[in-house]
Amino acid sequence: MPAFPILSVSRKPILLFLFVTVFIFLYQIASHPKVSRTMQSSAYYTNYDERACLPQRVLDKNPPTKKAKAAIVILVRNKELEAIKETVINFQNVFNNNFDYPYVFLNEVPFTEEFKYTIRQAAPNASRIEFGLVPEAHWSYPSWHKKKYGFVVTLLENKNTIPSLWKTVQQYAKSRHIDISMPQSPSSSPLSSASSKRVNNNNHNKRLLFPYFIDPSTGDYNLCHFWSNFEIASLNLWRSPEYRDFFQYLDQTGNFFYERWGDAPVHSLAAGLFLSTDEIHYFEDIGYQHDLYRHCPTKESSLGCRCTCPEGTTDKSIDHDQYYDTCLPVWKQHVKHEKKNLNWNVWS
C-alpha cells in the first residue's frame, strides 16, 4: 500500500485555538445577567467608599497605614452570655482579627468569672479585653428626672358617668386632711405665697396638681382628665399606701359599678391628690391616635422626631388639640400659673 505522508503540524496554534475558545466560553457564562449579579459585591449604601466586606488578600496586600484610636464597647448583662459569645466569635473572625481593637464590656453588676472566661475563649487572639462596671446612677433613672405620671391627651370626661365622683373625692380629701383649695393669685395678697401651698398628711408644703381640675368660676370639677389610653406612670404611685387607701375609699361606694366610674378620671384625680404639677409630664413629642382622636407634635415646639402625623381634621382623624373638648389650653394655663407662683414663692 502506498504510504501517505504525515503532515507535521505545530502544536502551538492548536493550543492557542483551544485557549481562546475556552476563554470566550467562560466569558459568555460570566457575562450572563444571573451570574454577573451574584458576582457583584454588595453594600448597604450604594455610595460606600469601600466594599461591604474586604477580602483578606486585599488587606494582606495593602494593609492600612494606621488604624483608628478606638475600642469595641459592649453593654451586656451576665444572662446574655451565650448570645454575646456568638457575636464576638463572628465579629472577631470577619473583622477584628485584622485590626485587633480592644474590647470593653460594661455591665450594671460585676461580671461573673464564667462570663469573663467564656469571652476570652471566644476571642483568643484579642490582645486586650476589659470588663467594667457602670455606676447605678449612670445606668438607672437620674435622681433629678422625678416624673411620676405622663400623658399625651387631656380632655373632658362624660359628666353622666361620674355624677358623684367629684363629691366623693372632696369627702375623701377632707377625711384625710388634704388641702385641695384653689391657691390665691400671687398679686392678690402679701400672704399668698403661704396660702397657696398645698398640704397633705405626708407631703408638707407640696404644691399639689389638684387645682388643675377645679373650675375657678364655680369651684366645681371642670371635667378635665388625662386620657389613660396612653399614660406612662410610676408603679410607685399605684402601689403607694395613699393611692391604695384612696381606691378602697372609692370602691366601697359601689359607684365603679353603679355609675361606671372610669379609670381615667380616677387616675387623674389621684395624681391631683398625691402629685405636684412638676411631677407630671406632657408628652408633646409623641404622636398618638386612639379611635378618631389624635395628637401630633406641634411645629412650634420642634419636638416631633420623624413623626408622620396627618394634618387637620377629617372623618377618620380628629386633631384633638384643636377640638372642642380638649383640655390642653387649661393644662398650659395651669402650668404657666404654677411657674408664676413658684417664682413668687422663691423671691418671697
Side-chain angles (χ1 to χ4, degrees), residues 56-126:
Q56 183 66 43
R57 62 178 180 272
V58 175
L59 289 174
D60 293 340
K61 184 177 180 180
N62 298 304
T65 56
K66 61 180 181 178
K67 68 177 183 180
K69 294 181 179 179
I72 311 303
V73 180
I74 303 173
L75 293 173
V76 64
R77 293 184 170 96
N78 288 311
K79 65 181 181 181
E80 298 164 328
L81 175 57
E82 288 302 315
I84 197 62
K85 179 187 72 173
E86 298 300 323
T87 299
V88 170
I89 292 174
N90 183 42
F91 183 78
Q92 189 71 12
N93 288 339
V94 301
F95 179 80
N96 206 38
N97 274 335
N98 297 314
F99 303 101
D100 194 28
Y101 286 111
Y103 289 96
V104 179
F105 291 86
L106 299 177
N107 194 354
E108 61 180 324
V109 298
F111 285 106
T112 63
E113 292 303 317
E114 177 190 7
F115 188 99
K116 296 177 182 179
Y117 174 80
T118 303
I119 292 299
R120 291 191 178 105
Q121 293 299 308
N125 297 327

Side-chain angles (χ1 to χ4, degrees), residues 157 160-166 168-169 172 228 238 243-270 273:
E157 177 61 301
N160 293 329
T161 65
I162 52 167
S164 67
L165 177 60
W166 181 253
T168 305
V169 172
Y172 172 82
S228 58
W238 310 135
Y243 178 78
R244 294 170 69 87
D245 176 62
F246 173 64
F247 184 84
Q248 290 297 328
Y249 187 95
L250 297 184
D251 192 35
Q252 289 174 6
T253 67
N255 287 327
F256 281 105
F257 177 81
Y258 290 111
E259 295 185 7
R260 188 216 163 258
W261 290 351
D263 59 300
V266 171
H267 283 190
S268 301
L269 293 173
L273 289 171

Side-chain angles (χ1 to χ4, degrees), residues 185-284:
S185 171
S187 59
S188 63
S189 167
L191 298 178
S192 58
S193 61
S195 62
S196 64
K197 292 178 181 177
R198 313 270 54 81
V199 180
N200 70 21
N201 53 348
N202 291 319
N203 299 290
H204 294 282
N205 299 334
K206 182 176 182 178
R207 296 183 57 83
L208 294 182
L209 167 70
F210 201 85
Y212 166 62
F213 303 105
I214 301 176
D215 184 339
S217 61
T218 64
D220 202 353
Y221 184 23
N222 60 14
L223 300 180
C224 288
H225 69 288
F226 305 125
W227 217 15
S228 58
N229 296 297
F230 179 104
E231 68 175 6
I232 298 179
S234 168
L235 291 178
N236 291 333
L237 172 60
W238 310 135
R239 293 169 176 169
S240 67
E242 294 84 4
Y243 178 78
R244 294 170 69 87
D245 176 62
F246 173 64
F247 184 84
Q248 290 297 328
Y249 187 95
L250 297 184
D251 192 35
Q252 289 174 6
T253 67
N255 287 327
F256 281 105
F257 177 81
Y258 290 111
E259 295 185 7
R260 188 216 163 258
W261 290 351
D263 59 300
V266 171
H267 283 190
S268 301
L269 293 173
L273 289 171
F274 307 123
L275 301 180
S276 59
T277 300
D278 60 4
E279 291 176 309
I280 309 296
H281 182 72
Y282 168 42
F283 283 99
E284 157 70 11

Side-chain angles (χ1 to χ4, degrees), residues 129-164:
I129 301 178
E130 301 288 342
F131 299 93
L133 181 65
V134 179
E136 183 179 359
H138 297 170
W139 187 277
S140 58
Y141 294 108
S143 59
W144 43 265
H145 187 331
K146 291 185 179 179
K147 300 297 182 182
K148 296 182 179 178
Y149 188 92
F151 72 96
V152 75
V153 171
T154 177
L155 73 168
L156 299 177
E157 177 61 301
N158 182 349
K159 191 174 184 178
N160 293 329
T161 65
I162 52 167
S164 67

